[in-house]
Amino acid sequence: MPQQRTPHRVAVVAPSRVSMFNLAIPELLFDRARIDGAPGYEVTICTPDPGPITTTGGLDLYVGRGLDAVDTADTVLVAGTGERYVPDPRTVTAVRAAAEAGRRVASICSGAFVLAEAGLLDGRSATTYWELASELRERYPSLDLQGDVLYVQDGRVLTSSGYAAGIDMCLHIIRSDYGAAVANQVARLALVAPVRPGGQTQFTHTPLPPERGTACADTRGWAMRNLDKPLTLTDLARHAGVSVRTLTRRFHAESGVSPLQWLLHQRIERARELLETTTLPMDQVARACGLGTADSLRAHLVRRTGLTPSAYRAQFTRLTRAGG
C-alpha cells in the first residue's frame, strides 16, 4: 500500500494593506498541485492582527489566522502590497525565526522588504517590484539587487518581482518540490505559462523573461512538436518564412533569449517530464527530446538541476511504486 504523503505546509503572510492579486497567487497555484490524487500543499493565510485587513483595492478581507501559522510552516511566503510600506516588526520577527529554523522563506513584490528587514537578504541576491527596486537597494545596501529578473533563489530564500512574477516563482517552488510534470500540470489548470527557468549557478536561479509577442508563436509551437528532430536555426527560419537574422531578432524580442537557447531549454524541460512520467531508458529519453545521447542528457541535466538523470528520476518520478 502506498505511503500517505503529508502535504507541504505553506504560510502566506498578508500585510495590511495587501495586494489581492499577490495574496491569490499562492492559493491558486499551490492548491492545484496534486500528488497521486492527494493535495501537495496545505496553504494557510495569516496576518499579525487576525480579523479584517485592508486591500490595495479598497476592499476588506477577513483573515482569521495569526502569525502562529508561521511556526508550523515548511515554507513562509510574504505577500506584497505593490507600494511602499513599513514592515510590521512582528512579521519580521516571525519570518526571521522561520529562516533560522531552516525553513524556506519567499516573498512576492514588496514582501522583499520584510525579508531584508529580517536580515535574510544580507549578502544574497534578491529582487522586488521594479518601481521599488531603488528604494530596496538604498535601504538595504548589503543585498545584491537583481532588478531585471522575474524571481531569484539564493539558497532557501526566494524573492520575486511584482504581480505575475509571483506566478513564475510559485511554479518554480512546485517544480523544486514535486518535479516539472506536476508544475506544468498546475500551469495548465491555472491557464498560465509553464515555469520559465533559465541559467542557473550554484545558488541563484534566473528564469527566462516572459514572452512579449506572437510573431514567432507558430514556429515555437512547431518546434515544440518536433523536439525529437535535429532542428537548426535554418530550420526555424524556414518555418517562420524569414531570414536567420530576422528570426533571431524577433525571437529575442519576444522571448528574451536566442532561438537556440530557447530550444535547449524546451529540450531539457521535455527530458525532465519524460524522466518523471516514463520508464524509458536514458538514450531513448535523450533522442525523444532532441538531446542526442545519454551522455549529452546527463551533462545538460546536471548543469541545470545538479542531478544525474537517474537521480532526478528517483527523486521526482510520478509513477506509482509497487510495494506493500
Side-chain angles (χ1 to χ4, degrees):
M1 189 173 214
Q3 185 176 1
Q4 188 171 4
R5 184 190 299 269
T6 301
H8 185 102
R9 294 164 296 185
V10 179
V12 182
V13 183
S16 185
R17 305 164 16 122
V18 67
S19 162
M20 293 176 63
F21 187 60
N22 275 198
L23 201 57
I25 288 170
E27 184 276 331
L28 171 71
L29 297 176
F30 292 133
D31 275 0
R32 280 164 172 73
R34 313 292 292 184
I35 312 301
D36 299 328
Y41 296 92
E42 177 184 291
V43 180
T44 302
I45 298 175
C46 60
T47 193
D49 294 306
I53 64 171
T54 304
T55 71
T56 54
L59 300 176
D60 285 342
L61 294 177
Y62 186 87
V63 179
R65 189 72 182 271
L67 292 177
D68 60 296
V70 172
D71 298 336
T72 57
D74 302 303
T75 294
V76 179
L77 193 158
V78 183
T81 62
E83 59 189 16
R84 291 167 178 80
Y85 79 111
V86 177
D88 188 301
R90 294 168 294 176
T91 299
V92 172
T93 298
V95 170
R96 182 189 297 120
E100 289 174 350
R103 293 167 189 145
R104 181 169 55 196
V105 177
S107 67
I108 297 176
C109 191
S110 59
F113 284 80
V114 172
L115 274 57
E117 186 68 20
L120 305 183
L121 301 184
D122 292 349
R124 293 183 187 271
S125 297
T127 193
T128 190
Y129 184 42
W130 65 271
E131 284 193 332
L132 305 176
S134 295
E135 182 174 346
L136 184 67
R137 181 189 287 113
E138 291 170 5
R139 285 171 59 177
Y140 307 100
S142 61
L143 65 81
D144 177 18
L145 183 69
Q146 305 290 314
D148 58 350
V149 299
L150 296 178
Y151 64 91
V152 173
Q153 177 172 354
D154 194 329
R156 294 186 63 78
V157 177
L158 298 94
T159 52
S160 82
S161 182
Y163 301 105
I167 295 174
D168 294 282
M169 184 186 72
C170 288
L171 287 173
H172 168 65
I173 289 173
I174 294 170
R175 189 180 66 173
S176 298
D177 292 340
Y178 296 116
V182 173
N184 289 340
Q185 176 65 10
V186 169
R188 285 191 289 269
L189 290 173
L191 298 178
V192 297
V195 65
R196 298 186 297 252
Q200 182 178 346
T201 60
Q202 184 175 1
F203 297 109
T204 303
H205 187 102
T206 304
L208 289 175
E211 292 179 358
R212 298 182 290 273
T214 59
C216 296
D218 287 345
T219 296
R220 288 194 296 267
W222 172 78
M224 289 289 290
R225 295 189 297 273
N226 291 275
L227 288 178
D228 59 323
K229 298 179 175 62
L231 301 177
T232 65
L233 266 177
T234 301
D235 295 328
L236 295 172
R238 183 181 298 116
H239 182 274
V242 297
S243 68
V244 168
R245 183 176 179 179
T246 298
L247 174 82
T248 301
R249 184 179 67 250
R250 290 180 180 176
F251 225 96
H252 199 280
E254 294 181 13
S255 301
V257 293
S258 72
L260 293 184
Q261 286 175 317
W262 178 90
L263 189 60
L264 177 61
H265 167 68
Q266 303 305 330
R267 293 192 192 284
I268 296 171
E269 286 302 292
R270 178 67 56 80
R272 292 171 75 152
E273 287 208 41
L274 290 173
L275 290 170
E276 294 170 28
T277 59
T278 75
T279 57
L280 289 173
M282 299 308 171
D283 57 343
Q284 291 186 33
V285 171
R287 288 197 299 271
C289 64
L291 289 175
T293 67
D295 286 343
S296 176
L297 168 65
R298 178 187 177 91
H300 285 296
L301 199 67
V302 168
R303 188 176 302 118
R304 178 65 57 83
T305 69
L307 298 173
T308 64
S310 57
Y312 185 90
R313 172 173 276 167
Q315 182 168 338
F316 291 113
T317 183
R318 298 269 61 85
L319 300 177
T320 302
R321 293 180 175 87

